[in-house]
Amino acid sequence: EKVRGERALLISRSTFSGSGSRTAHWTGDNWSTYRSMYTSIPDILNLQMYGIPFVGADICGFSWNTTEELCLRWIQLGAFYPFSRNHNMLDTIPQELYRWKKVAEISKFILNLRYSILPLYYTLLWEAHVGTGAMVLHPMYFEFGGDSNCWEIDKQFLVGKGLLVSPVLDQGATKV
């Protein structure tokens, strides 16, 4: 910051509670599995509660080979992570979103949607940064704590207080 007069973007997978005021976090090297896609949701929600709002997981998975369907479903979810990126290791198949026609088409749509709501993300990240205790992503029970049906929902979340994300997390599924 002192050299360039600008705040640097720092991304780490080794953070601690409250470090979100200075750095972004990614959940570390995950697997190209539906289980890893699912566990990215509670991982990211937990980090939100630890004061790390700019967080995400490796979309399509990092280790092992992904599939067209998994990558398609994961970009549909990952577009709503505050920190959204596709990343994988060297000895796996390439997984850029343009490699499969259907994934490319869906990605174009979902990433355009993400860009259309960037002002919402900027506002939520700013609120989290200025110390209001705001989170970018909210577990359902944070907004509907009086409804016991929401206490165990771990496959859906809210962006801010009003945008519900309910991804397809099972192989072969066509609805949630």
Side-chain angles (χ1 to χ4, degrees):
E1 290 180 36
K2 292 179 182 179
V3 173
R4 296 184 65 201
E6 298 175 354
R7 183 174 171 182
L9 175 61
L10 302 173
I11 304 168
S12 176
R13 65 179 181 185
S14 175
T15 52
F16 55 91
S17 182
S19 63
S21 64
R22 296 284 177 212
T23 187
H25 180 91
W26 98 94
T27 58
D29 299 340
N30 58 11
W31 303 96
S32 295
T33 65
Y34 284 86
R35 176 79 180 157
S36 283
M37 179 173 57
Y38 155 70
T39 59
S40 73
I41 296 171
D43 287 349
I44 290 170
L45 292 174
N46 283 332
L47 287 157
Q48 295 287 306
M49 290 185 277
Y50 303 152
I52 305 172
F54 194 41
V55 61
D58 294 333
I59 295 171
C60 300
F62 178 78
S63 299
W64 295 349
N65 290 323
T66 193
T67 65
E68 178 179 2
E69 181 189 357
L70 176 62
C71 204
L72 183 145
R73 294 303 186 193
W74 210 324
I75 190 60
Q76 290 175 317
L77 166 62
F80 294 98
Y81 297 157
F83 176 59
S84 182
R85 74 169 183 168
N86 180 337
H87 176 61
N88 67 321
M89 62 189 299
L90 293 175
D91 294 332
T92 58
I93 64 169
Q95 62 185 36
E96 291 84 6
L97 301 174
Y98 61 80
R99 295 206 172 256
W100 301 279
K101 184 178 181 184
K102 188 173 182 180
V103 174
E105 290 170 3
I106 296 293
S107 297
K108 183 177 179 181
F109 172 80
I110 201 71
L111 292 173
N112 279 328
L113 176 60
R114 177 184 173 82
Y115 281 110
S116 74
I117 60 172
L118 276 181
L120 172 62
Y121 279 93
Y122 288 149
T123 300
L124 294 168
L125 286 163
W126 179 82
E127 288 173 350
H129 178 71
V130 296
T132 63
M135 298 186 317
V136 177
L137 304 182
H138 297 233
M140 296 296 290
Y141 64 86
F142 268 40
E143 295 305 317
F144 307 104
D147 183 349
S148 62
N149 294 311
C150 293
W151 296 351
E152 295 186 25
I153 294 176
D154 61 356
K155 294 181 178 180
Q156 299 175 334
F157 58 90
L158 296 165
V159 178
K161 294 182 178 190
L163 178 60
L164 174 65
V165 178
S166 184
V168 175
L169 298 170
D170 298 311
Q171 185 174 6
T174 57
K175 60 183 178 179
V176 291

